[in-house]
Amino acid sequence: MSRDSTRRRKVYEGKAKVLFEGPEPGTLIQYFKDDATAFNNQKQGVITGKGVLNNRISEFLMERLASIGIPTHFVRRLNMREQLVREVEIIPIEVVIRNVVAGSLAKRFGIEEGEALPRSIVEYYYKSDELEDPLVTEEHIAAFAWASYQEIDEMLNLALRINDYLSGLFMGAGLRLIDFKVEFGRHWDEDEMQIILADEISPDSCRLWDVLTNEKLDKDRFRRDLGRVEEGYQEVARRLGILPDAGPRDLKGPEAVQ
Ligand code: UDP
């Protein structure tokens, strides 16, 4: 981690990111690590360069979403691994949207991965490491006051809009958005509270398959030991046209011949 980031006050450290106090009240700095975990921390590893790529990929996707009116916590990217974000009160729910059967859905119902769903499925998981993020219903969310029905409705609407937009965006890059997870937070502006998109959107939180070959280009390469893990993240960044400014694999310009 850079000297700059060690000097700042750490607010929170997660598996793949660190949050530091921001330069002004109401802001935070989100630092992207190369660390990866899967299966509730049972599998741990490092994906070299992942943090740099996820910082760029999440910036790109959040900016595009903002351009269609989705409120997000993203303010601006600060450097290779850090971005300035608005401080929110995170709603402890992971909202998962699925377009194609994969992962835990395939396992839970014994269905083969890859079957396109006739309509998108929305699932909610309660964020709790001890409980291993259990699947919950709207009833649980409201009864335990993790979010109100109005907030659930808002999250659902935003998640479906995000899904429609990102499905098209990724399709244009030759990628199928199989499923993804988003998190939301409460943001206060004066006395007004708004639910906004928080956390990140990256190959850590999305399943992305090549449209032609169904090759997996996301964190499943790590989870399932498929090899060429770094290359999966790089390929997604390359297809979105956003490889980092510098680095050995910066192939942005026509002059970048290898
Ligand atoms: N996901 C995530 N964080 C989690 C759990 C799931 O980002 O803690 C994402 C995951 O990358 C996939 C989608 O949510 O794109 C659905 O995941 P699933 O329920 O199939 O769980 P998994 O296979 O990861 O156990």
Side-chain angles (χ1 to χ4, degrees):
M1 214 173 283
S2 71
R3 262 184 46 232
D4 247 15
S5 26
T6 48
R7 258 189 278 126
R8 288 189 294 254
R9 200 174 73 82
K10 194 189 286 184
V11 177
Y12 174 83
E13 176 149 13
K15 296 160 205 157
K17 296 189 293 295
V18 187
L19 290 174
F20 296 97
E21 229 168 36
E24 59 227 52
T27 65
L28 294 172
I29 291 168
Q30 183 164 252
Y31 176 97
F32 288 76
K33 299 191 275 189
D34 283 349
D35 299 347
T37 62
F39 313 120
N40 205 43
N41 279 328
Q42 285 174 45
K43 185 181 170 89
Q44 306 198 346
V46 169
I47 303 172
T48 307
K50 171 173 80 81
V52 174
L53 293 169
N54 281 358
N55 187 23
R56 292 295 298 258
I57 293 170
S58 202
E59 168 194 23
F60 177 78
L61 297 175
M62 292 256 178
E63 280 190 336
R64 298 300 295 265
L65 288 166
S67 79
I68 60 152
I70 304 282
T72 88
H73 75 156
F74 180 82
V75 180
R76 67 175 178 276
R77 189 168 60 85
L78 298 171
N79 54 49
M80 296 278 275
R81 287 184 184 270
E82 295 178 330
Q83 49 182 244
L84 186 69
V85 299
R86 281 180 258 279
E87 188 171 21
V88 297
E89 181 186 272
I90 285 283
I91 295 172
I93 299 295
E94 297 190 340
V95 181
V96 168
I97 308 272
R98 302 176 180 277
N99 302 309
V100 175
V101 175
S104 70
L105 181 70
K107 205 166 161 206
R108 192 177 314 127
F109 297 111
I111 316 169
E112 214 176 310
E113 280 202 323
E115 195 177 311
L117 294 160
R119 51 178 284 174
S120 303
I121 293 177
V122 182
E123 295 171 345
Y124 304 103
Y125 293 86
Y126 176 53
K127 273 166 67 80
S128 162
D129 283 342
E130 305 87 82
L131 302 174
E132 301 188 9
D133 297 351
L135 181 67
V136 294
T137 66
E138 293 189 0
E139 311 292 312
H140 298 117
I141 299 172
F144 298 123
W146 296 322
S148 68
Y149 275 110
Q150 199 189 330
E151 289 173 330
I152 298 168
D153 194 49
E154 183 67 15
M155 289 193 287
L156 172 62
N157 270 315
L158 289 169
L160 291 173
R161 277 177 69 198
I162 292 167
N163 183 43
D164 281 348
Y165 181 79
L166 290 187
S167 291
L169 183 147
F170 280 122
M171 186 56 72
L175 296 165
R176 286 170 82 196
L177 179 57
I178 303 299
D179 57 31
F180 66 98
K181 181 264 301 183
V182 276
E183 295 182 26
F184 296 94
R186 300 182 184 96
H187 179 255
W188 277 270
D189 199 357
E190 307 283 309
D191 279 343
E192 293 269 306
M193 194 278 284
Q194 195 186 19
I195 302 285
I196 71 175
L197 178 63
D199 192 49
E200 72 181 295
I201 306 185
S202 72
D204 270 5
S205 58
C206 301
R207 282 197 170 90
L208 298 163
W209 297 2
D210 180 86
V211 264
L212 297 176
T213 64
N214 280 338
E215 185 186 8
K216 294 174 170 56
L217 295 168
D218 53 59
K219 197 172 147 187
D220 272 349
R221 300 204 70 81
F222 167 78
R223 291 190 191 100
R224 302 177 187 192
D225 296 319
L226 299 177
R228 296 172 51 81
V229 180
E230 283 84 2
E231 284 83 350
Y233 288 79
Q234 286 163 6
E235 183 61 16
V236 171
R238 193 184 66 73
R239 292 196 191 185
L240 295 174
I242 48 165
L243 269 176
D245 302 320
R249 296 201 35 121
D250 184 9
L251 304 176
K252 235 193 309 189
E255 71 285 1
V257 177
Q258 288 211 322

